[in-house]
Amino acid sequence: MNSVNINLKEEDLINFIWSNFQENALLEISYNRVFIPGKILFIDNQGKNITLQLKGELLNQTITIDIPSILNEIIEIRYTFKNKTTIITVVS
């Protein structure tokens, strides 16, 4: 599997999401003390809200993440689509 590491400023992340993320991709977000793995079901037309189908043995529900509300707490985002993983580190 191919893997790419990139650093993005907080103000560039939403535009990157809108331009590069696809539905049905695997997304893993680490922020604050939370880890959320899931499959992308929907990205709004501005890249600010992402709806995920959570992955897990007990959890199989959908959630919507408001990216601007957690932007300054994001530690890392792993985005996997078609055997390519992009690891995004958000910098201030």
Side-chain angles (χ1 to χ4, degrees):
M1 181 179 295
N2 271 340
S3 181
V4 176
N5 293 311
I6 61 172
N7 293 324
L8 287 176
K9 292 185 178 185
E10 289 178 3
E11 59 267 17
D12 298 328
L13 180 61
I14 292 172
N15 188 48
F16 184 85
I17 289 170
W18 174 240
S19 300
N20 296 285
F21 284 18
Q22 301 286 321
E23 294 175 358
N24 294 314
L26 175 63
L27 186 67
E28 299 169 307
I29 300 177
S30 297
Y31 71 96
N32 199 347
R33 294 181 181 160
V34 178
F35 173 72
I36 302 174
K39 180 176 81 171
I40 298 174
L41 297 178
F42 177 75
I43 303 170
D44 75 356
N45 63 0
Q46 296 176 352
K48 293 182 179 180
N49 293 295
I50 300 174
T51 302
L52 296 177
Q53 176 75 46
L54 296 179
K55 289 179 59 177
E57 293 180 23
L58 298 175
L59 296 174
N60 196 17
Q61 62 187 19
T62 60
I63 62 165
T64 299
I65 300 172
D66 177 19
I67 298 298
S69 72
I70 64 167
L71 194 57
N72 63 349
E73 298 179 57
I74 294 175
I75 298 165
E76 181 181 272
I77 297 176
R78 287 179 177 260
Y79 171 79
T80 305
F81 188 68
K82 294 185 178 180
N83 290 330
K84 179 183 177 187
T85 298
T86 303
I87 302 167
I88 302 165
T89 303
V90 179
V91 295
S92 301

